[in-house]
Amino acid sequence: MNAPASLPVAETLRSALAGLLDGLPARQAAQAVERLIAAYRGATPTEAPILRDRADVAAYAAYRMPATFEAVRSALAAFADAVPGWSPGDHVDVGGGTGAAAWAVSATWDGERPVTVLDWAEPALALGRELAAANPALRDTRWHRSRIGSALTVESTDLVTVSYVLNELTAPDRAALVDAAAAAARSVVIVEPGTPDGYARVIEARDRLVSAGFHVAAPCPHSAACPIAPGTDWCHFSARVSRSSLHRQVKGGSLAYEDEKFSYVAATRLPVAPAPARVVRKPQIRKGQVLLDLCEKDPGLRRTTVTKRHGDLYRAARDTDWGDPWPPHAEA
């Protein structure tokens, strides 16, 4: 198993974020988050960074960074399983803002590595640098202001991450970013919101990466075209996120967690061993059987039923989660 337990890194991140809102009234923080959510859901021109000052960045980081971290960490864990024994020698996070993906990489692979975070919002980079001081693996990270789009230059690197960025860009800038990442990196991981539009952007990026010679490592068990008919459904997954008091104030409710829905693609020029199949919907557990919706290597989508007669495989199916490979590694 490549990945160390991510809990200590997640806890360190939550602790660092907890101090961000000291001195900022809770109501003001919640209002800033609500305004920023509305801005992110709208059409954002590439010339206008949404995060404008430290108060904006602090509020939004405290609210959104844990979810981004968990989504990217989930994508990276699936990628790590498909490239056993490999870890990135260096990492560039494009549009990384306060560095959630850099934290997720440090939770996935042990050790320190050169890390560069590129973003156009200087307040986000400054806060990312401040937060990174709490994580020994990120203390020497370079934080560079850079326009994300057609003018982007990415230095040669083992791994490029692009998380929750494509939705902020025009179509030409999205294509330019993916092409720049493909030209610079051995591996590229792209994460977007788990919505039909987010999935469409991921598929667009996936197609460009495959055309550039990359192999899909996750979530797909193949590099052929996605078997989902356009407009009929979308591929997405879920990551559980601990909710802060700010989450509860903005969204209401009292649950201690929420589920972050995300779509992603992890592609590489490395030799790759993708999952034989991927569970693409929440398993349905019924009396004596488990129904699994799978994307298979063929490629194609298929529902399979695992019953008590399958013995150990049935017990494994009961423990299998949405997004997991199938069959489990011990059975593959």
Side-chain angles (χ1 to χ4, degrees), residues 69-90:
F69 166 83
E70 292 295 352
V72 177
R73 186 207 57 77
S74 294
L76 291 172
F79 175 54
D81 283 346
V83 286
W86 180 83
S87 64
D90 51 5

PDB file of all heavy atoms in Angstrom, residues 69-90:
ATOM      1  N   PHE A  69      -9.664  19.039   0.087  1.00  0.00           N
ATOM      2  CA  PHE A  69      -8.640  18.097   0.534  1.00  0.00           C
ATOM      3  C   PHE A  69      -9.151  16.662   0.460  1.00  0.00           C
ATOM      4  O   PHE A  69      -8.481  15.773  -0.082  1.00  0.00           O
ATOM      5  CB  PHE A  69      -8.209  18.437   1.971  1.00  0.00           C
ATOM      6  CG  PHE A  69      -7.410  17.364   2.645  1.00  0.00           C
ATOM      7  CD1 PHE A  69      -6.044  17.261   2.433  1.00  0.00           C
ATOM      8  CD2 PHE A  69      -8.018  16.445   3.499  1.00  0.00           C
ATOM      9  CE1 PHE A  69      -5.298  16.261   3.054  1.00  0.00           C
ATOM     10  CE2 PHE A  69      -7.292  15.445   4.116  1.00  0.00           C
ATOM     11  CZ  PHE A  69      -5.926  15.354   3.895  1.00  0.00           C
ATOM     12  N   GLU A  70     -10.335  16.394   0.981  1.00  0.00           N
ATOM     13  CA  GLU A  70     -10.848  15.016   1.018  1.00  0.00           C
ATOM     14  C   GLU A  70     -11.151  14.496  -0.379  1.00  0.00           C
ATOM     15  O   GLU A  70     -10.897  13.319  -0.676  1.00  0.00           O
ATOM     16  CB  GLU A  70     -12.087  14.924   1.907  1.00  0.00           C
ATOM     17  CG  GLU A  70     -11.814  15.134   3.386  1.00  0.00           C
ATOM     18  CD  GLU A  70     -10.948  14.054   4.018  1.00  0.00           C
ATOM     19  OE1 GLU A  70     -10.653  13.028   3.356  1.00  0.00           O
ATOM     20  OE2 GLU A  70     -10.555  14.219   5.177  1.00  0.00           O
ATOM     21  N   ALA A  71     -11.691  15.335  -1.248  1.00  0.00           N
ATOM     22  CA  ALA A  71     -11.968  14.900  -2.612  1.00  0.00           C
ATOM     23  C   ALA A  71     -10.680  14.576  -3.355  1.00  0.00           C
ATOM     24  O   ALA A  71     -10.555  13.526  -4.002  1.00  0.00           O
ATOM     25  CB  ALA A  71     -12.759  15.977  -3.358  1.00  0.00           C
ATOM     26  N   VAL A  72      -9.692  15.460  -3.267  1.00  0.00           N
ATOM     27  CA  VAL A  72      -8.424  15.227  -3.962  1.00  0.00           C
ATOM     28  C   VAL A  72      -7.702  14.030  -3.348  1.00  0.00           C
ATOM     29  O   VAL A  72      -7.136  13.191  -4.066  1.00  0.00           O
ATOM     30  CB  VAL A  72      -7.531  16.485  -3.923  1.00  0.00           C
ATOM     31  CG1 VAL A  72      -6.190  16.207  -4.595  1.00  0.00           C
ATOM     32  CG2 VAL A  72      -8.230  17.655  -4.615  1.00  0.00           C
ATOM     33  N   ARG A  73      -7.735  13.904  -2.014  1.00  0.00           N
ATOM     34  CA  ARG A  73      -7.091  12.761  -1.378  1.00  0.00           C
ATOM     35  C   ARG A  73      -7.722  11.446  -1.854  1.00  0.00           C
ATOM     36  O   ARG A  73      -7.024  10.465  -2.100  1.00  0.00           O
ATOM     37  CB  ARG A  73      -7.214  12.871   0.149  1.00  0.00           C
ATOM     38  CG  ARG A  73      -6.436  11.802   0.903  1.00  0.00           C
ATOM     39  CD  ARG A  73      -7.056  11.504   2.242  1.00  0.00           C
ATOM     40  NE  ARG A  73      -8.438  11.096   2.138  1.00  0.00           N
ATOM     41  CZ  ARG A  73      -8.835   9.886   1.756  1.00  0.00           C
ATOM     42  NH1 ARG A  73      -7.960   8.959   1.435  1.00  0.00           N
ATOM     43  NH2 ARG A  73     -10.123   9.608   1.671  1.00  0.00           N
ATOM     44  N   SER A  74      -9.032  11.420  -2.014  1.00  0.00           N
ATOM     45  CA  SER A  74      -9.704  10.217  -2.505  1.00  0.00           C
ATOM     46  C   SER A  74      -9.261   9.878  -3.923  1.00  0.00           C
ATOM     47  O   SER A  74      -8.997   8.712  -4.247  1.00  0.00           O
ATOM     48  CB  SER A  74     -11.223  10.410  -2.466  1.00  0.00           C
ATOM     49  OG  SER A  74     -11.681  10.534  -1.143  1.00  0.00           O
ATOM     50  N   ALA A  75      -9.175  10.898  -4.781  1.00  0.00           N
ATOM     51  CA  ALA A  75      -8.719  10.676  -6.156  1.00  0.00           C
ATOM     52  C   ALA A  75      -7.275  10.189  -6.175  1.00  0.00           C
ATOM     53  O   ALA A  75      -6.917   9.271  -6.933  1.00  0.00           O
ATOM     54  CB  ALA A  75      -8.874  11.964  -6.968  1.00  0.00           C
ATOM     55  N   LEU A  76      -6.428  10.793  -5.354  1.00  0.00           N
ATOM     56  CA  LEU A  76      -5.022  10.401  -5.315  1.00  0.00           C
ATOM     57  C   LEU A  76      -4.843   8.988  -4.772  1.00  0.00           C
ATOM     58  O   LEU A  76      -3.958   8.242  -5.215  1.00  0.00           O
ATOM     59  CB  LEU A  76      -4.221  11.385  -4.461  1.00  0.00           C
ATOM     60  CG  LEU A  76      -4.051  12.794  -5.028  1.00  0.00           C
ATOM     61  CD1 LEU A  76      -3.417  13.712  -3.986  1.00  0.00           C
ATOM     62  CD2 LEU A  76      -3.215  12.787  -6.305  1.00  0.00           C
ATOM     63  N   ALA A  77      -5.680   8.592  -3.798  1.00  0.00           N
ATOM     64  CA  ALA A  77      -5.585   7.239  -3.261  1.00  0.00           C
ATOM     65  C   ALA A  77      -5.892   6.212  -4.350  1.00  0.00           C
ATOM     66  O   ALA A  77      -5.211   5.179  -4.456  1.00  0.00           O
ATOM     67  CB  ALA A  77      -6.539   7.071  -2.084  1.00  0.00           C
ATOM     68  N   ALA A  78      -6.907   6.479  -5.161  1.00  0.00           N
ATOM     69  CA  ALA A  78      -7.228   5.571  -6.269  1.00  0.00           C
ATOM     70  C   ALA A  78      -6.090   5.547  -7.286  1.00  0.00           C
ATOM     71  O   ALA A  78      -5.740   4.481  -7.821  1.00  0.00           O
ATOM     72  CB  ALA A  78      -8.535   6.006  -6.935  1.00  0.00           C
ATOM     73  N   PHE A  79      -5.495   6.700  -7.533  1.00  0.00           N
ATOM     74  CA  PHE A  79      -4.356   6.767  -8.453  1.00  0.00           C
ATOM     75  C   PHE A  79      -3.174   5.986  -7.899  1.00  0.00           C
ATOM     76  O   PHE A  79      -2.529   5.202  -8.620  1.00  0.00           O
ATOM     77  CB  PHE A  79      -3.978   8.228  -8.688  1.00  0.00           C
ATOM     78  CG  PHE A  79      -2.745   8.416  -9.528  1.00  0.00           C
ATOM     79  CD1 PHE A  79      -2.634   7.834 -10.784  1.00  0.00           C
ATOM     80  CD2 PHE A  79      -1.678   9.163  -9.059  1.00  0.00           C
ATOM     81  CE1 PHE A  79      -1.499   8.003 -11.560  1.00  0.00           C
ATOM     82  CE2 PHE A  79      -0.534   9.340  -9.829  1.00  0.00           C
ATOM     83  CZ  PHE A  79      -0.448   8.748 -11.079  1.00  0.00           C
ATOM     84  N   ALA A  80      -2.879   6.160  -6.609  1.00  0.00           N
ATOM     85  CA  ALA A  80      -1.749   5.461  -5.990  1.00  0.00           C
ATOM     86  C   ALA A  80      -1.924   3.951  -6.081  1.00  0.00           C
ATOM     87  O   ALA A  80      -0.957   3.210  -6.290  1.00  0.00           O
ATOM     88  CB  ALA A  80      -1.596   5.897  -4.529  1.00  0.00           C
ATOM     89  N   ASP A  81      -3.156   3.476  -5.933  1.00  0.00           N
ATOM     90  CA  ASP A  81      -3.408   2.038  -6.051  1.00  0.00           C
ATOM     91  C   ASP A  81      -3.096   1.525  -7.453  1.00  0.00           C
ATOM     92  O   ASP A  81      -2.729   0.355  -7.626  1.00  0.00           O
ATOM     93  CB  ASP A  81      -4.873   1.729  -5.725  1.00  0.00           C
ATOM     94  CG  ASP A  81      -5.148   1.759  -4.226  1.00  0.00           C
ATOM     95  OD1 ASP A  81      -4.182   1.745  -3.441  1.00  0.00           O
ATOM     96  OD2 ASP A  81      -6.335   1.795  -3.851  1.00  0.00           O
ATOM     97  N   ALA A  82      -3.260   2.379  -8.450  1.00  0.00           N
ATOM     98  CA  ALA A  82      -3.046   1.967  -9.846  1.00  0.00           C
ATOM     99  C   ALA A  82      -1.589   2.064 -10.282  1.00  0.00           C
ATOM    100  O   ALA A  82      -1.225   1.545 -11.341  1.00  0.00           O
ATOM    101  CB  ALA A  82      -3.916   2.814 -10.782  1.00  0.00           C
ATOM    102  N   VAL A  83      -0.758   2.723  -9.476  1.00  0.00           N
ATOM    103  CA  VAL A  83       0.679   2.834  -9.785  1.00  0.00           C
ATOM    104  C   VAL A  83       1.470   2.405  -8.547  1.00  0.00           C
ATOM    105  O   VAL A  83       2.203   3.214  -7.960  1.00  0.00           O
ATOM    106  CB  VAL A  83       1.067   4.257 -10.255  1.00  0.00           C
ATOM    107  CG1 VAL A  83       0.581   4.515 -11.664  1.00  0.00           C
ATOM    108  CG2 VAL A  83       0.514   5.326  -9.310  1.00  0.00           C
ATOM    109  N   PRO A  84       1.327   1.149  -8.121  1.00  0.00           N
ATOM    110  CA  PRO A  84       1.953   0.695  -6.869  1.00  0.00           C
ATOM    111  C   PRO A  84       3.473   0.841  -6.922  1.00  0.00           C
ATOM    112  O   PRO A  84       4.106   0.594  -7.941  1.00  0.00           O
ATOM    113  CB  PRO A  84       1.523  -0.770  -6.784  1.00  0.00           C
ATOM    114  CG  PRO A  84       1.158  -1.165  -8.178  1.00  0.00           C
ATOM    115  CD  PRO A  84       0.607   0.061  -8.818  1.00  0.00           C
ATOM    116  N   GLY A  85       4.022   1.278  -5.800  1.00  0.00           N
ATOM    117  CA  GLY A  85       5.468   1.426  -5.704  1.00  0.00           C
ATOM    118  C   GLY A  85       6.003   2.757  -6.185  1.00  0.00           C
ATOM    119  O   GLY A  85       7.172   3.060  -5.976  1.00  0.00           O
ATOM    120  N   TRP A  86       5.155   3.563  -6.814  1.00  0.00           N
ATOM    121  CA  TRP A  86       5.598   4.872  -7.336  1.00  0.00           C
ATOM    122  C   TRP A  86       5.159   5.976  -6.387  1.00  0.00           C
ATOM    123  O   TRP A  86       4.111   5.888  -5.757  1.00  0.00           O
ATOM    124  CB  TRP A  86       4.986   5.120  -8.706  1.00  0.00           C
ATOM    125  CG  TRP A  86       5.369   6.443  -9.325  1.00  0.00           C
ATOM    126  CD1 TRP A  86       6.494   6.736 -10.029  1.00  0.00           C
ATOM    127  CD2 TRP A  86       4.592   7.656  -9.307  1.00  0.00           C
ATOM    128  NE1 TRP A  86       6.485   8.045 -10.447  1.00  0.00           N
ATOM    129  CE2 TRP A  86       5.325   8.633 -10.015  1.00  0.00           C
ATOM    130  CE3 TRP A  86       3.357   8.002  -8.771  1.00  0.00           C
ATOM    131  CZ2 TRP A  86       4.858   9.939 -10.198  1.00  0.00           C
ATOM    132  CZ3 TRP A  86       2.895   9.305  -8.929  1.00  0.00           C
ATOM    133  CH2 TRP A  86       3.638  10.254  -9.637  1.00  0.00           C
ATOM    134  N   SER A  87       5.976   7.000  -6.272  1.00  0.00           N
ATOM    135  CA  SER A  87       5.554   8.227  -5.605  1.00  0.00           C
ATOM    136  C   SER A  87       6.162   9.394  -6.365  1.00  0.00           C
ATOM    137  O   SER A  87       7.237   9.271  -6.973  1.00  0.00           O
ATOM    138  CB  SER A  87       5.994   8.249  -4.142  1.00  0.00           C
ATOM    139  OG  SER A  87       7.411   8.250  -4.049  1.00  0.00           O
ATOM    140  N   PRO A  88       5.486  10.526  -6.397  1.00  0.00           N
ATOM    141  CA  PRO A  88       5.991  11.664  -7.179  1.00  0.00           C
ATOM    142  C   PRO A  88       7.247  12.252  -6.563  1.00  0.00           C
ATOM    143  O   PRO A  88       7.319  12.476  -5.354  1.00  0.00           O
ATOM    144  CB  PRO A  88       4.826  12.661  -7.137  1.00  0.00           C
ATOM    145  CG  PRO A  88       4.063  12.303  -5.900  1.00  0.00           C
ATOM    146  CD  PRO A  88       4.209  10.825  -5.734  1.00  0.00           C
ATOM    147  N   GLY A  89       8.232  12.522  -7.421  1.00  0.00           N
ATOM    148  CA  GLY A  89       9.440  13.175  -6.941  1.00  0.00           C
ATOM    149  C   GLY A  89       9.235  14.656  -6.723  1.00  0.00           C
ATOM    150  O   GLY A  89       9.916  15.272  -5.895  1.00  0.00           O
ATOM    151  N   ASP A  90       8.289  15.248  -7.468  1.00  0.00           N
ATOM    152  CA  ASP A  90       7.932  16.646  -7.281  1.00  0.00           C
ATOM    153  C   ASP A  90       6.497  16.839  -7.736  1.00  0.00           C
ATOM    154  O   ASP A  90       5.892  15.951  -8.356  1.00  0.00           O
ATOM    155  CB  ASP A  90       8.889  17.591  -8.008  1.00  0.00           C
ATOM    156  CG  ASP A  90       9.107  17.226  -9.474  1.00  0.00           C
ATOM    157  OD1 ASP A  90       8.453  16.287  -9.978  1.00  0.00           O
ATOM    158  OD2 ASP A  90       9.939  17.868 -10.129  1.00  0.00           O
TER     159      ASP A  90
END
